[in-house]
Amino acid sequence: MDYQILLHGLEQAAKSPLAFIAYILIIISWTAKYLYTKKLKIISDKLNLLPENQRLKALELVYNFRPKKGLSSSEYLINEKRKYFLIAFIMSTIAILVFLGLSTYKTIQVLKSNVQQQTMDMAFTTFIKGTVTFEDNKRLGSAISQIENSVTLYPTYGAYINLANMYDEIGNSQSALNASIKAMQLKPDNPSPYMKIGLYYSDLDNFDSAKYYLEKALYIFEKSKISDNDFYVSVLGNLGNLYSDKAENTDDSLKKRTYAKIATSQYFEKALKLKGQIAGGKYLAMLLGNAGNAYRVLGNIDKATALLNESVILKENLLYKTQEYVSLGYGYLSSGDIYLEKKNLSDSEEFYNKAYNIFLNNGYPIGIGLALVGQGNVCLKQNMTKDAKLFFDRAKRIFVENDLPTYIKLVDSRIDQIGK
Protein backbone atom coordinates (compact mmCIF):
# COMPACT_ATOMS: atom_id res chain seq x y z
CA MET A 1 0.00 0.00 0.00
CA ASP A 2 1.23 3.49 -0.82
CA TYR A 3 2.37 5.08 2.48
CA GLN A 4 0.88 8.40 1.36
CA ILE A 5 -2.56 6.79 1.13
CA LEU A 6 -2.06 5.32 4.63
CA LEU A 7 -0.97 8.70 5.99
CA HIS A 8 -3.96 10.34 4.36
CA GLY A 9 -6.21 7.73 6.00
CA LEU A 10 -4.61 8.39 9.38
CA GLU A 11 -5.04 12.12 8.86
CA GLN A 12 -8.73 11.70 8.05
CA ALA A 13 -9.20 9.40 11.05
CA ALA A 14 -7.46 11.89 13.36
CA LYS A 15 -10.04 14.54 12.43
CA SER A 16 -13.00 12.27 13.16
CA PRO A 17 -15.31 12.91 16.18
CA LEU A 18 -14.76 9.29 17.22
CA ALA A 19 -11.03 9.92 17.33
CA PHE A 20 -11.65 12.96 19.54
CA ILE A 21 -13.61 10.77 21.96
CA ALA A 22 -10.71 8.30 21.97
CA TYR A 23 -8.28 11.10 22.83
CA ILE A 24 -10.48 12.23 25.76
CA LEU A 25 -10.81 8.65 26.97
CA ILE A 26 -7.01 8.20 27.05
CA ILE A 27 -6.44 11.51 28.80
CA ILE A 28 -9.12 10.87 31.44
CA SER A 29 -7.97 7.31 32.18
CA TRP A 30 -4.30 8.22 32.62
CA THR A 31 -5.09 11.41 34.55
CA ALA A 32 -7.29 9.41 36.90
CA LYS A 33 -4.54 6.81 37.27
CA TYR A 34 -1.96 9.52 38.04
CA LEU A 35 -4.12 11.27 40.64
CA TYR A 36 -5.11 8.02 42.31
CA THR A 37 -1.49 6.87 42.44
CA LYS A 38 -0.50 10.21 43.96
CA LYS A 39 -3.25 9.79 46.55
CA LEU A 40 -2.03 6.30 47.43
CA LYS A 41 1.53 7.63 47.80
CA ILE A 42 0.34 10.24 50.33
CA ILE A 43 -1.61 7.57 52.25
CA SER A 44 1.43 5.28 52.24
CA ASP A 45 3.64 8.05 53.65
CA LYS A 46 1.17 8.77 56.47
CA LEU A 47 0.74 5.07 57.30
CA ASN A 48 4.50 4.70 57.67
CA LEU A 49 4.24 6.97 60.74
CA LEU A 50 1.98 4.43 62.46
CA PRO A 51 2.91 1.05 63.96
CA GLU A 52 2.36 -1.87 61.54
CA ASN A 53 -0.50 -3.37 63.57
CA GLN A 54 -2.51 -0.10 63.31
CA ARG A 55 -2.11 0.56 59.60
CA LEU A 56 -4.87 -1.75 58.32
CA LYS A 57 -7.28 -0.33 60.88
CA ALA A 58 -6.38 3.21 59.75
CA LEU A 59 -7.08 2.28 56.11
CA GLU A 60 -10.60 1.20 57.08
CA LEU A 61 -11.48 4.00 59.47
CA VAL A 62 -9.76 7.01 57.90
CA TYR A 63 -9.68 6.19 54.15
CA ASN A 64 -12.68 3.81 53.83
CA PHE A 65 -10.64 1.03 52.20
CA ARG A 66 -11.52 -2.63 52.73
CA PRO A 67 -8.29 -4.64 52.42
CA LYS A 68 -8.68 -8.37 51.86
CA LYS A 69 -7.65 -10.65 54.68
CA GLY A 70 -4.06 -11.79 54.57
CA LEU A 71 -2.78 -8.60 52.89
CA SER A 72 -0.59 -6.06 54.64
CA SER A 73 -1.30 -2.34 54.18
CA SER A 74 1.66 -1.93 51.79
CA GLU A 75 0.60 -4.97 49.71
CA TYR A 76 -2.94 -3.62 49.49
CA LEU A 77 -1.74 -0.21 48.30
CA ILE A 78 0.54 -1.81 45.69
CA ASN A 79 -2.42 -3.86 44.37
CA GLU A 80 -4.52 -0.69 44.17
CA LYS A 81 -1.83 1.01 42.08
CA ARG A 82 -1.66 -2.01 39.75
CA LYS A 83 -5.46 -2.10 39.43
CA TYR A 84 -5.68 1.52 38.32
CA PHE A 85 -2.73 1.07 35.97
CA LEU A 86 -4.52 -1.94 34.40
CA ILE A 87 -7.77 0.03 34.05
CA ALA A 88 -5.93 2.93 32.39
CA PHE A 89 -4.08 0.51 30.09
CA ILE A 90 -7.29 -1.28 29.05
CA MET A 91 -9.08 2.01 28.37
CA SER A 92 -6.12 3.27 26.33
CA THR A 93 -5.97 0.01 24.38
CA ILE A 94 -9.68 0.25 23.53
CA ALA A 95 -9.23 3.86 22.43
CA ILE A 96 -6.20 2.95 20.28
CA LEU A 97 -8.09 0.05 18.67
CA VAL A 98 -10.99 2.38 17.88
CA PHE A 99 -8.60 4.86 16.31
CA LEU A 100 -6.78 2.14 14.31
CA GLY A 101 -10.08 0.71 13.11
CA LEU A 102 -11.23 4.16 12.09
CA SER A 103 -7.96 4.90 10.28
CA THR A 104 -8.19 1.56 8.45
CA TYR A 105 -11.72 2.40 7.35
CA LYS A 106 -10.65 5.86 6.20
CA THR A 107 -7.69 4.38 4.31
CA ILE A 108 -10.00 1.94 2.50
CA GLN A 109 -12.30 4.83 1.64
CA VAL A 110 -9.33 6.74 0.20
CA LEU A 111 -8.35 3.67 -1.85
CA LYS A 112 -11.91 3.29 -3.09
CA SER A 113 -12.04 6.93 -4.05
CA ASN A 114 -8.72 6.67 -5.90
CA VAL A 115 -9.83 3.54 -7.75
CA GLN A 116 -13.09 5.26 -8.65
CA GLN A 117 -11.35 8.36 -9.97
CA GLN A 118 -8.76 6.38 -11.93
CA THR A 119 -11.50 4.21 -13.40
CA MET A 120 -13.57 7.17 -14.44
CA ASP A 121 -10.55 8.82 -16.04
CA MET A 122 -9.73 5.64 -17.94
CA ALA A 123 -13.31 5.18 -19.05
CA PHE A 124 -13.64 8.75 -20.24
CA THR A 125 -10.34 8.63 -22.12
CA THR A 126 -11.33 5.37 -23.79
CA PHE A 127 -14.80 6.60 -24.61
CA ILE A 128 -13.68 9.78 -26.38
CA LYS A 129 -11.02 7.85 -28.29
CA GLY A 130 -13.63 5.51 -29.74
CA THR A 131 -13.11 1.90 -30.82
CA VAL A 132 -11.65 2.21 -34.27
CA THR A 133 -8.53 0.06 -33.96
CA PHE A 134 -7.74 -3.25 -32.31
CA GLU A 135 -5.79 -1.43 -29.60
CA ASP A 136 -8.76 0.85 -28.96
CA ASN A 137 -11.00 -2.19 -28.52
CA LYS A 138 -8.53 -3.69 -26.06
CA ARG A 139 -8.47 -0.42 -24.16
CA LEU A 140 -12.26 -0.31 -24.07
CA GLY A 141 -12.40 -3.89 -22.78
CA SER A 142 -9.90 -3.00 -20.08
CA ALA A 143 -11.93 0.07 -19.09
CA ILE A 144 -15.10 -2.01 -18.80
CA SER A 145 -13.30 -4.56 -16.62
CA GLN A 146 -11.91 -1.81 -14.39
CA ILE A 147 -15.33 -0.19 -13.97
CA GLU A 148 -16.95 -3.55 -13.18
CA ASN A 149 -14.37 -4.10 -10.43
CA SER A 150 -14.81 -0.53 -9.23
CA VAL A 151 -18.59 -0.70 -8.86
CA THR A 152 -18.25 -3.94 -6.93
CA LEU A 153 -15.89 -2.20 -4.49
CA TYR A 154 -17.52 1.21 -4.53
CA PRO A 155 -20.96 1.37 -6.22
CA THR A 156 -21.75 4.94 -7.26
CA TYR A 157 -24.14 6.61 -9.68
CA GLY A 158 -21.31 7.93 -11.87
CA ALA A 159 -19.63 4.53 -12.09
CA TYR A 160 -22.81 2.81 -13.29
CA ILE A 161 -23.53 5.56 -15.83
CA ASN A 162 -20.00 5.22 -17.25
CA LEU A 163 -20.32 1.45 -17.32
CA ALA A 164 -23.62 1.78 -19.22
CA ASN A 165 -21.94 4.10 -21.74
CA MET A 166 -19.13 1.60 -22.27
CA TYR A 167 -21.53 -1.29 -22.79
CA ASP A 168 -23.52 0.85 -25.22
CA GLU A 169 -20.33 1.62 -27.14
CA ILE A 170 -19.75 -2.09 -27.81
CA GLY A 171 -23.43 -2.72 -28.60
CA ASN A 172 -24.27 -4.68 -25.43
CA SER A 173 -27.67 -3.10 -24.79
CA GLN A 174 -28.74 -5.61 -22.13
CA SER A 175 -25.69 -4.96 -19.93
CA ALA A 176 -26.04 -1.22 -20.55
CA LEU A 177 -29.66 -1.50 -19.42
CA ASN A 178 -28.68 -3.38 -16.24
CA ALA A 179 -26.04 -0.77 -15.34
CA SER A 180 -28.52 2.08 -15.94
CA ILE A 181 -31.08 0.42 -13.66
CA LYS A 182 -28.43 0.32 -10.90
CA ALA A 183 -27.77 4.03 -11.46
CA MET A 184 -31.50 4.76 -11.31
CA GLN A 185 -31.78 2.90 -7.97
CA LEU A 186 -29.00 5.07 -6.52
CA LYS A 187 -30.59 8.32 -7.73
CA PRO A 188 -34.33 7.67 -8.24
CA ASP A 189 -35.10 11.41 -8.52
CA ASN A 190 -32.69 11.97 -11.42
CA PRO A 191 -34.46 11.75 -14.82
CA SER A 192 -31.28 10.91 -16.80
CA PRO A 193 -31.04 7.17 -16.04
CA TYR A 194 -34.73 6.74 -16.84
CA MET A 195 -34.11 8.13 -20.31
CA LYS A 196 -31.13 5.82 -20.80
CA ILE A 197 -33.19 2.83 -19.66
CA GLY A 198 -35.89 3.79 -22.16
CA LEU A 199 -33.36 4.01 -24.99
CA TYR A 200 -31.82 0.63 -24.16
CA TYR A 201 -35.26 -0.99 -24.01
CA SER A 202 -35.89 0.55 -27.43
CA ASP A 203 -32.65 -1.03 -28.71
CA LEU A 204 -33.94 -4.35 -27.36
CA ASP A 205 -37.26 -3.85 -29.26
CA ASN A 206 -39.29 -3.62 -26.04
CA PHE A 207 -41.61 -0.79 -27.02
CA ASP A 208 -43.82 -0.80 -23.91
CA SER A 209 -40.91 -0.66 -21.44
CA ALA A 210 -39.12 1.95 -23.54
CA LYS A 211 -42.27 4.10 -23.60
CA TYR A 212 -42.78 3.73 -19.82
CA TYR A 213 -39.25 4.82 -18.87
CA LEU A 214 -39.03 7.67 -21.37
CA GLU A 215 -42.37 9.02 -20.14
CA LYS A 216 -41.12 8.57 -16.56
CA ALA A 217 -38.00 10.59 -17.42
CA LEU A 218 -40.20 13.36 -18.88
CA TYR A 219 -42.48 13.33 -15.81
CA ILE A 220 -39.57 13.56 -13.31
CA PHE A 221 -37.91 16.27 -15.38
CA GLU A 222 -41.04 18.42 -15.57
CA LYS A 223 -41.83 17.85 -11.88
CA SER A 224 -38.32 18.90 -10.83
CA LYS A 225 -38.59 22.20 -12.76
CA ILE A 226 -34.96 21.80 -13.90
CA SER A 227 -33.86 24.38 -16.48
CA ASP A 228 -32.22 22.21 -19.14
CA ASN A 229 -33.65 22.57 -22.65
CA ASP A 230 -31.07 20.15 -24.05
CA PHE A 231 -32.37 17.33 -21.84
CA TYR A 232 -36.00 18.29 -22.39
CA VAL A 233 -35.59 18.17 -26.16
CA SER A 234 -33.72 14.87 -25.87
CA VAL A 235 -36.57 13.21 -23.98
CA LEU A 236 -39.21 14.61 -26.35
CA GLY A 237 -37.13 13.65 -29.38
CA ASN A 238 -36.54 10.12 -28.13
CA LEU A 239 -40.23 9.61 -27.46
CA GLY A 240 -40.94 10.92 -30.95
CA ASN A 241 -38.30 8.59 -32.39
CA LEU A 242 -39.89 5.66 -30.55
CA TYR A 243 -43.26 6.24 -32.21
CA SER A 244 -41.67 7.13 -35.53
CA ASP A 245 -39.79 3.82 -35.55
CA LYS A 246 -43.02 2.05 -34.64
CA ALA A 247 -44.67 3.71 -37.64
CA GLU A 248 -41.82 2.66 -39.95
CA ASN A 249 -41.95 -0.96 -38.80
CA THR A 250 -45.64 -1.70 -39.27
CA ASP A 251 -47.44 -2.62 -42.50
CA ASP A 252 -50.83 -1.61 -41.08
CA SER A 253 -51.56 1.75 -42.73
CA LEU A 254 -53.95 2.87 -39.96
CA LYS A 255 -51.43 2.07 -37.18
CA LYS A 256 -48.68 3.66 -39.23
CA ARG A 257 -50.53 6.97 -39.38
CA THR A 258 -51.57 6.75 -35.71
CA TYR A 259 -47.98 6.28 -34.54
CA ALA A 260 -46.73 9.04 -36.85
CA LYS A 261 -49.46 11.39 -35.57
CA ILE A 262 -48.44 10.76 -31.93
CA ALA A 263 -44.77 11.25 -32.82
CA THR A 264 -45.37 14.61 -34.49
CA SER A 265 -48.17 16.19 -32.44
CA GLN A 266 -47.08 15.12 -28.95
CA TYR A 267 -43.30 15.14 -29.23
CA PHE A 268 -41.58 16.36 -32.43
CA GLU A 269 -43.51 19.63 -32.65
CA LYS A 270 -42.61 20.51 -29.04
CA ALA A 271 -38.98 19.50 -29.52
CA LEU A 272 -38.51 21.42 -32.77
CA LYS A 273 -39.75 24.62 -31.15
CA LEU A 274 -36.54 24.51 -29.09
CA LYS A 275 -34.21 23.32 -31.85
CA GLY A 276 -32.24 26.57 -31.73
CA GLN A 277 -31.16 25.74 -28.17
CA ILE A 278 -29.95 22.19 -28.87
CA ALA A 279 -26.20 21.87 -28.39
CA GLY A 280 -25.58 18.58 -30.20
CA GLY A 281 -25.55 18.99 -33.98
CA LYS A 282 -25.64 15.24 -34.56
CA TYR A 283 -28.70 14.77 -32.38
CA LEU A 284 -30.50 17.69 -34.03
CA ALA A 285 -29.78 16.22 -37.47
CA MET A 286 -31.27 12.89 -36.38
CA LEU A 287 -34.28 14.63 -34.82
CA LEU A 288 -34.98 16.60 -38.00
CA GLY A 289 -34.65 13.48 -40.14
CA ASN A 290 -36.96 11.35 -38.00
CA ALA A 291 -39.51 14.14 -37.74
CA GLY A 292 -39.39 14.53 -41.53
CA ASN A 293 -40.08 10.83 -42.01
CA ALA A 294 -43.03 10.99 -39.61
CA TYR A 295 -44.55 13.93 -41.53
CA ARG A 296 -43.97 11.99 -44.76
CA VAL A 297 -46.09 9.11 -43.39
CA LEU A 298 -48.85 11.62 -42.62
CA GLY A 299 -48.72 12.92 -46.20
CA ASN A 300 -47.37 16.35 -45.27
CA ILE A 301 -44.74 16.23 -48.00
CA ASP A 302 -43.78 19.93 -47.91
CA LYS A 303 -43.09 19.81 -44.16
CA ALA A 304 -41.21 16.54 -44.57
CA THR A 305 -39.10 17.94 -47.40
CA ALA A 306 -38.14 21.04 -45.43
CA LEU A 307 -37.13 19.04 -42.35
CA LEU A 308 -35.19 16.41 -44.29
CA ASN A 309 -33.34 19.04 -46.31
CA GLU A 310 -32.39 20.81 -43.08
CA SER A 311 -31.23 17.48 -41.66
CA VAL A 312 -29.12 16.68 -44.71
CA ILE A 313 -27.48 20.12 -44.76
CA LEU A 314 -26.62 19.79 -41.09
CA LYS A 315 -25.19 16.30 -41.62
CA GLU A 316 -23.11 17.55 -44.56
CA ASN A 317 -21.62 20.21 -42.28
CA LEU A 318 -20.97 17.64 -39.58
CA LEU A 319 -19.27 15.38 -42.10
CA TYR A 320 -16.24 17.64 -42.09
CA LYS A 321 -15.92 17.10 -38.34
CA THR A 322 -16.77 13.43 -37.96
CA GLN A 323 -16.58 10.12 -39.78
CA GLU A 324 -20.25 9.20 -39.38
CA TYR A 325 -20.97 8.58 -43.04
CA VAL A 326 -23.76 6.09 -42.31
CA SER A 327 -25.91 8.75 -40.67
CA LEU A 328 -25.43 11.09 -43.61
CA GLY A 329 -26.22 8.24 -45.99
CA TYR A 330 -29.55 7.64 -44.33
CA GLY A 331 -30.26 11.34 -44.60
CA TYR A 332 -29.71 11.10 -48.36
CA LEU A 333 -31.91 7.99 -48.55
CA SER A 334 -34.79 9.79 -46.81
CA SER A 335 -34.42 12.78 -49.12
CA GLY A 336 -34.41 10.45 -52.11
CA ASP A 337 -37.66 8.87 -50.87
CA ILE A 338 -39.26 12.29 -50.42
CA TYR A 339 -38.37 13.50 -53.92
CA LEU A 340 -39.52 10.16 -55.34
CA GLU A 341 -42.96 10.68 -53.79
CA LYS A 342 -43.02 14.22 -55.20
CA LYS A 343 -42.10 12.71 -58.60
CA ASN A 344 -38.97 14.85 -58.75
CA LEU A 345 -36.99 11.98 -60.21
CA SER A 346 -33.76 13.80 -61.03
CA ASP A 347 -33.28 15.05 -57.43
CA SER A 348 -34.38 11.68 -56.08
CA GLU A 349 -31.82 9.85 -58.22
CA GLU A 350 -29.10 12.30 -57.15
CA PHE A 351 -29.74 11.67 -53.46
CA TYR A 352 -29.84 7.87 -53.96
CA ASN A 353 -26.49 8.06 -55.76
CA LYS A 354 -24.99 10.11 -52.91
CA ALA A 355 -26.30 7.60 -50.38
CA TYR A 356 -24.92 4.68 -52.42
CA ASN A 357 -21.43 6.22 -52.57
CA ILE A 358 -21.34 6.88 -48.82
CA PHE A 359 -22.54 3.38 -47.92
CA LEU A 360 -20.15 1.83 -50.44
CA ASN A 361 -17.17 3.74 -49.01
CA ASN A 362 -18.23 2.73 -45.52
CA GLY A 363 -18.88 -0.92 -46.42
CA TYR A 364 -22.42 -0.82 -45.05
CA PRO A 365 -24.46 -3.53 -46.87
CA ILE A 366 -27.95 -2.51 -45.70
CA GLY A 367 -27.40 1.05 -46.89
CA ILE A 368 -25.90 -0.09 -50.21
CA GLY A 369 -28.87 -2.35 -50.85
CA LEU A 370 -31.46 0.30 -49.94
CA ALA A 371 -29.76 2.87 -52.17
CA LEU A 372 -29.92 0.37 -55.06
CA VAL A 373 -33.61 -0.27 -54.32
CA GLY A 374 -34.18 3.49 -54.41
CA GLN A 375 -32.45 3.75 -57.80
CA GLY A 376 -34.58 0.87 -59.02
CA ASN A 377 -37.72 2.68 -57.87
CA VAL A 378 -36.67 5.73 -59.86
CA CYS A 379 -36.32 3.53 -62.94
CA LEU A 380 -39.79 2.08 -62.34
CA LYS A 381 -41.25 5.59 -62.28
CA GLN A 382 -39.56 6.15 -65.65
CA ASN A 383 -40.97 2.83 -66.96
CA MET A 384 -37.41 1.54 -67.35
CA THR A 385 -38.31 -1.91 -66.03
CA LYS A 386 -35.18 -3.64 -67.35
CA ASP A 387 -32.88 -1.19 -65.57
CA ALA A 388 -35.07 -1.34 -62.47
CA LYS A 389 -34.73 -5.13 -62.30
CA LEU A 390 -30.94 -4.85 -62.58
CA PHE A 391 -30.88 -2.54 -59.56
CA PHE A 392 -33.24 -4.81 -57.60
CA ASP A 393 -31.23 -7.93 -58.45
CA ARG A 394 -28.03 -6.25 -57.27
CA ALA A 395 -29.74 -5.22 -54.03
CA LYS A 396 -31.11 -8.72 -53.47
CA ARG A 397 -27.67 -10.26 -53.97
CA ILE A 398 -26.25 -7.98 -51.28
CA PHE A 399 -29.09 -8.77 -48.86
CA VAL A 400 -28.75 -12.53 -49.47
CA GLU A 401 -24.97 -12.45 -49.01
CA ASN A 402 -25.40 -10.70 -45.66
CA ASP A 403 -28.38 -12.80 -44.52
CA LEU A 404 -30.90 -9.96 -44.23
CA PRO A 405 -34.31 -11.66 -44.68
CA THR A 406 -36.43 -8.57 -43.99
CA TYR A 407 -34.69 -6.65 -46.77
CA ILE A 408 -34.81 -9.67 -49.11
CA LYS A 409 -38.59 -9.65 -48.67
CA LEU A 410 -38.66 -5.92 -49.46
CA VAL A 411 -36.74 -6.26 -52.73
CA ASP A 412 -38.71 -9.38 -53.73
CA SER A 413 -41.91 -7.30 -53.53
CA ARG A 414 -40.34 -4.83 -55.96
CA ILE A 415 -39.31 -7.61 -58.36
CA ASP A 416 -42.81 -9.08 -58.19
CA GLN A 417 -44.18 -5.65 -59.08
CA ILE A 418 -42.16 -5.71 -62.29
CA GLY A 419 -43.53 -9.16 -63.13
CA LYS A 420 -47.07 -7.89 -62.89
Coordinates of all heavy atoms in Angstrom, one line a residue, residues 329 332-333 335-337 345-361 367-368 370-376 378-379 391 394:
G329 N -25.6 9.1 -44.9 CA -26.2 8.2 -46.0 C -27.7 8.0 -45.8 O -28.5 8.1 -46.8
Y332 N -29.5 11.1 -46.9 CA -29.7 11.1 -48.4 C -30.8 10.1 -48.8 O -31.6 10.5 -49.7 CB -28.4 10.7 -49.0 CG -27.3 11.8 -49.0 CD1 -26.0 11.5 -48.9 CD2 -27.7 13.1 -49.2 CE1 -25.0 12.5 -48.8 CE2 -26.7 14.1 -49.1 CZ -25.4 13.8 -49.0 OH -24.4 14.8 -49.0
L333 N -30.9 9.0 -48.2 CA -31.9 8.0 -48.5 C -33.3 8.6 -48.3 O -34.2 8.5 -49.1 CB -31.8 6.7 -47.7 CG -30.8 5.6 -48.2 CD1 -30.8 4.4 -47.3 CD2 -31.2 5.2 -49.6
S335 N -34.2 11.7 -48.1 CA -34.4 12.8 -49.1 C -34.8 12.2 -50.5 O -35.7 12.7 -51.2 CB -33.2 13.7 -49.3 OG -32.9 14.4 -48.0
G336 N -34.1 11.1 -50.8 CA -34.4 10.4 -52.1 C -35.8 10.0 -52.1 O -36.6 10.1 -53.1
D337 N -36.3 9.4 -51.0 CA -37.7 8.9 -50.9 C -38.7 10.0 -51.0 O -39.7 9.9 -51.7 CB -37.9 8.2 -49.5 CG -37.1 6.9 -49.4 OD1 -36.7 6.3 -50.5 OD2 -36.9 6.4 -48.3
L345 N -37.8 13.2 -60.0 CA -37.0 12.0 -60.2 C -35.5 12.3 -60.3 O -34.7 11.6 -59.9 CB -37.4 11.2 -61.5 CG -38.9 10.7 -61.4 CD1 -39.2 9.9 -62.7 CD2 -39.2 9.9 -60.2
S346 N -35.2 13.5 -60.9 CA -33.8 13.8 -61.0 C -33.1 14.0 -59.7 O -32.0 13.6 -59.4 CB -33.6 15.0 -61.9 OG -34.3 16.2 -61.4
D347 N -33.8 14.8 -58.8 CA -33.3 15.0 -57.4 C -33.3 13.8 -56.6 O -32.3 13.5 -55.9 CB -34.1 16.1 -56.7 CG -33.8 17.5 -57.2 OD1 -32.8 17.7 -57.8 OD2 -34.7 18.4 -57.0
S348 N -34.3 12.9 -56.8 CA -34.4 11.7 -56.1 C -33.2 10.8 -56.5 O -32.5 10.2 -55.6 CB -35.7 11.0 -56.4 OG -35.7 9.7 -55.8
E349 N -32.9 10.7 -57.8 CA -31.8 9.9 -58.2 C -30.5 10.4 -57.7 O -29.6 9.6 -57.3 CB -31.8 9.8 -59.8 CG -30.7 8.9 -60.3 CD -30.8 8.8 -61.8 OE1 -31.5 9.7 -62.5 OE2 -30.2 7.9 -62.4
E350 N -30.3 11.7 -57.7 CA -29.1 12.3 -57.2 C -28.8 11.9 -55.7 O -27.7 11.6 -55.3 CB -29.2 13.8 -57.3 CG -27.9 14.5 -56.8 CD -28.0 16.0 -56.9 OE1 -29.0 16.5 -57.5 OE2 -27.1 16.7 -56.4
F351 N -29.9 12.0 -54.9 CA -29.7 11.7 -53.5 C -29.5 10.2 -53.3 O -28.7 9.8 -52.4 CB -31.0 12.1 -52.7 CG -31.0 13.5 -52.3 CD1 -31.9 14.4 -52.8 CD2 -30.0 14.0 -51.4 CE1 -31.9 15.8 -52.5 CE2 -30.0 15.4 -51.0 CZ -30.9 16.3 -51.6
Y352 N -30.1 9.3 -54.1 CA -29.8 7.9 -54.0 C -28.4 7.6 -54.3 O -27.7 6.7 -53.7 CB -30.8 7.1 -54.9 CG -32.2 7.0 -54.3 CD1 -33.3 7.2 -55.2 CD2 -32.4 6.7 -53.0 CE1 -34.6 7.1 -54.7 CE2 -33.7 6.6 -52.5 CZ -34.8 6.8 -53.3 OH -36.1 6.7 -52.9
N353 N -27.9 8.3 -55.4 CA -26.5 8.1 -55.8 C -25.5 8.5 -54.7 O -24.5 7.8 -54.4 CB -26.2 8.8 -57.0 CG -26.8 8.2 -58.3 OD1 -27.0 7.0 -58.3 ND2 -27.1 9.0 -59.3
K354 N -25.8 9.6 -54.0 CA -25.0 10.1 -52.9 C -25.0 9.1 -51.8 O -24.0 8.8 -51.2 CB -25.5 11.5 -52.4 CG -25.2 12.7 -53.3 CD -25.7 13.9 -52.7 CE -25.3 15.2 -53.5 NZ -25.8 16.4 -52.8
A355 N -26.2 8.6 -51.5 CA -26.3 7.6 -50.4 C -25.5 6.3 -50.7 O -24.8 5.8 -49.9 CB -27.8 7.2 -50.1
Y356 N -25.6 5.9 -52.0 CA -24.9 4.7 -52.4 C -23.4 4.9 -52.2 O -22.7 3.9 -51.7 CB -25.3 4.4 -53.9 CG -24.5 3.2 -54.5 CD1 -24.9 1.9 -54.2 CD2 -23.4 3.4 -55.2 CE1 -24.2 0.8 -54.7 CE2 -22.7 2.4 -55.8 CZ -23.1 1.1 -55.5 OH -22.4 0.0 -56.0
N357 N -22.9 6.0 -52.7 CA -21.4 6.2 -52.6 C -20.9 6.2 -51.1 O -19.9 5.7 -50.8 CB -21.1 7.5 -53.3 CG -21.2 7.5 -54.8 OD1 -21.0 6.4 -55.4 ND2 -21.6 8.6 -55.4
I358 N -21.7 6.8 -50.2 CA -21.3 6.9 -48.8 C -21.4 5.5 -48.2 O -20.4 5.1 -47.5 CB -22.3 7.8 -48.0 CG1 -21.9 9.3 -48.3 CG2 -22.2 7.6 -46.5 CD1 -22.9 10.3 -47.7
F359 N -22.4 4.7 -48.5 CA -22.5 3.4 -47.9 C -21.5 2.5 -48.5 O -20.9 1.6 -47.8 CB -23.9 2.8 -48.2 CG -25.0 3.5 -47.4 CD1 -26.2 3.9 -48.0 CD2 -24.9 3.7 -46.0 CE1 -27.2 4.5 -47.3 CE2 -25.9 4.3 -45.3 CZ -27.0 4.7 -45.9
L360 N -21.2 2.6 -49.8 CA -20.1 1.8 -50.4 C -18.8 2.1 -49.8 O -18.0 1.2 -49.5 CB -20.1 2.1 -51.9 CG -19.2 1.2 -52.8 CD1 -19.7 -0.2 -52.7 CD2 -19.1 1.7 -54.2
N361 N -18.5 3.4 -49.6 CA -17.2 3.7 -49.0 C -17.1 3.2 -47.6 O -16.0 2.9 -47.1 CB -17.0 5.3 -49.0 CG -16.8 5.8 -50.4 OD1 -16.3 5.1 -51.3 ND2 -17.2 7.0 -50.7
G367 N -27.3 -0.2 -46.2 CA -27.4 1.1 -46.9 C -27.2 0.9 -48.4 O -27.9 1.5 -49.2
I368 N -26.2 0.1 -48.8 CA -25.9 -0.1 -50.2 C -27.1 -0.7 -50.9 O -27.6 -0.2 -52.0 CB -24.7 -1.0 -50.4 CG1 -23.4 -0.4 -49.8 CG2 -24.5 -1.4 -51.9 CD1 -22.2 -1.3 -49.8
L370 N -30.3 -0.6 -49.9 CA -31.5 0.3 -49.9 C -31.3 1.4 -51.0 O -32.2 1.8 -51.6 CB -31.6 0.9 -48.5 CG -32.2 0.0 -47.5 CD1 -32.2 0.7 -46.1 CD2 -33.6 -0.6 -47.8
A371 N -30.0 1.9 -51.1 CA -29.8 2.9 -52.2 C -30.0 2.3 -53.6 O -30.6 3.0 -54.4 CB -28.3 3.4 -52.1
L372 N -29.7 1.0 -53.8 CA -29.9 0.4 -55.1 C -31.4 0.2 -55.3 O -31.9 0.4 -56.4 CB -29.2 -1.0 -55.1 CG -27.7 -0.9 -55.2 CD1 -27.1 -2.3 -55.0 CD2 -27.3 -0.4 -56.6
V373 N -32.1 -0.2 -54.2 CA -33.6 -0.3 -54.3 C -34.2 1.1 -54.7 O -35.1 1.2 -55.5 CB -34.2 -0.8 -53.0 CG1 -35.7 -0.6 -53.0 CG2 -33.8 -2.2 -52.7
G374 N -33.7 2.2 -54.1 CA -34.2 3.5 -54.4 C -33.9 3.8 -55.9 O -34.8 4.4 -56.6
Q375 N -32.7 3.5 -56.4 CA -32.4 3.8 -57.8 C -33.4 2.9 -58.7 O -33.8 3.4 -59.8 CB -31.0 3.4 -58.1 CG -30.0 4.4 -57.4 CD -28.6 4.0 -57.5 OE1 -28.3 2.8 -57.4 NE2 -27.7 5.0 -57.7
G376 N -33.7 1.7 -58.3 CA -34.6 0.9 -59.0 C -36.0 1.5 -59.0 O -36.7 1.4 -60.1
V378 N -36.7 4.6 -58.9 CA -36.7 5.7 -59.9 C -36.9 5.2 -61.3 O -37.6 5.8 -62.1 CB -35.4 6.5 -59.7 CG1 -35.2 7.6 -60.9 CG2 -35.3 7.2 -58.4
C379 N -36.2 4.1 -61.6 CA -36.3 3.5 -62.9 C -37.7 3.1 -63.2 O -38.3 3.2 -64.3 CB -35.4 2.3 -63.1 SG -33.6 2.8 -63.2
F391 N -31.1 -3.1 -60.9 CA -30.9 -2.5 -59.6 C -31.4 -3.4 -58.4 O -30.7 -3.7 -57.4 CB -31.5 -1.1 -59.4 CG -30.7 -0.1 -60.1 CD1 -31.2 0.7 -61.2 CD2 -29.4 0.2 -59.7 CE1 -30.5 1.7 -61.8 CE2 -28.7 1.3 -60.3 CZ -29.2 2.0 -61.3
R394 N -29.3 -6.6 -58.0 CA -28.0 -6.2 -57.3 C -28.3 -6.1 -55.8 O -27.5 -6.6 -54.9 CB -27.4 -5.0 -57.8 CG -26.8 -5.1 -59.2 CD -26.3 -3.7 -59.7 NE -25.3 -3.1 -58.9 CZ -25.0 -1.9 -59.0 NH1 -25.5 -1.1 -59.9 NH2 -24.0 -1.4 -58.2

